[in-house]
Amino acid sequence: MPSFIRTLLESRIFGILARIVLTYIFWASGIAKLVDFDAAVAEMSHFGLEPAPLYAVAVIVTQLGGSALIIANRWTWLGAGALAVFTALTIPIAHTFWTMQEPMKTIEFYVVMEHITVIGALMVVSWKSVPQDAPAAARREYANA
């Protein structure tokens, strides 16, 4: 690996930027729901989630809280886990491609594939948040923090 690439990848600012970009889909959605809470409630109602205001608040807290934990690189496993579970749950709730007709069936299928990829990225950020050069006991302690 070229030294300038290694330097970039090892820089603190690159890590922060990477975590901000990874979580963009979540924190941008959370902010949009905060700005237009009525639309967030309508979205929850549209998908049959009642009481819609409670679900809207839960989604906002999950999206913003999970993103904040990942960006801060604190309890990253918890933030990534919450966002991964949230993302997985959106598949049977909002992206039921198996019940649709073409062309929406194929479009929603690709959305589900993207969701699975995002879940994988969240798994990677959680995995990489544990110091790999630390002794095994220290890594376990870090992961439990």
Side-chain angles (χ1 to χ4, degrees), residues 105-118:
K105 182 176 191 166
T106 297
I107 292 168
E108 287 296 318
F109 173 78
Y110 287 126
V111 169
V112 168
M113 296 302 103
E114 291 172 355
H115 278 43
I116 292 168
T117 300
V118 168

Side-chain angles (χ1 to χ4, degrees), residues 82-123:
L83 293 175
V85 169
F86 167 79
T87 303
L89 288 173
T90 67
I91 295 169
I93 294 171
H95 304 292
T96 55
F97 67 91
W98 55 91
T99 67
M100 298 176 179
Q101 300 298 314
E102 295 296 349
M104 287 308 298
K105 182 176 191 166
T106 297
I107 292 168
E108 287 296 318
F109 173 78
Y110 287 126
V111 169
V112 168
M113 296 302 103
E114 291 172 355
H115 278 43
I116 292 168
T117 300
V118 168
I119 292 167
L122 292 164
M123 293 166 69

Side-chain angles (χ1 to χ4, degrees), residues 23-89:
T23 58
Y24 171 77
I25 191 171
F26 299 108
W27 58 259
S29 176
I31 290 170
K33 285 174 176 57
L34 270 178
V35 169
D36 191 352
F37 188 73
D38 290 339
V41 171
E43 181 182 14
M44 299 305 124
S45 290
H46 172 76
F47 291 113
L49 300 172
E50 296 295 341
L54 183 61
Y55 276 97
V57 169
V59 167
I60 292 166
V61 168
T62 300
Q63 290 180 318
L64 295 180
S67 296
L69 291 173
I70 292 170
I71 292 167
N73 203 23
R74 299 287 182 249
W75 291 16
T76 306
W77 61 270
L78 180 60
L83 293 175
V85 169
F86 167 79
T87 303
L89 288 173

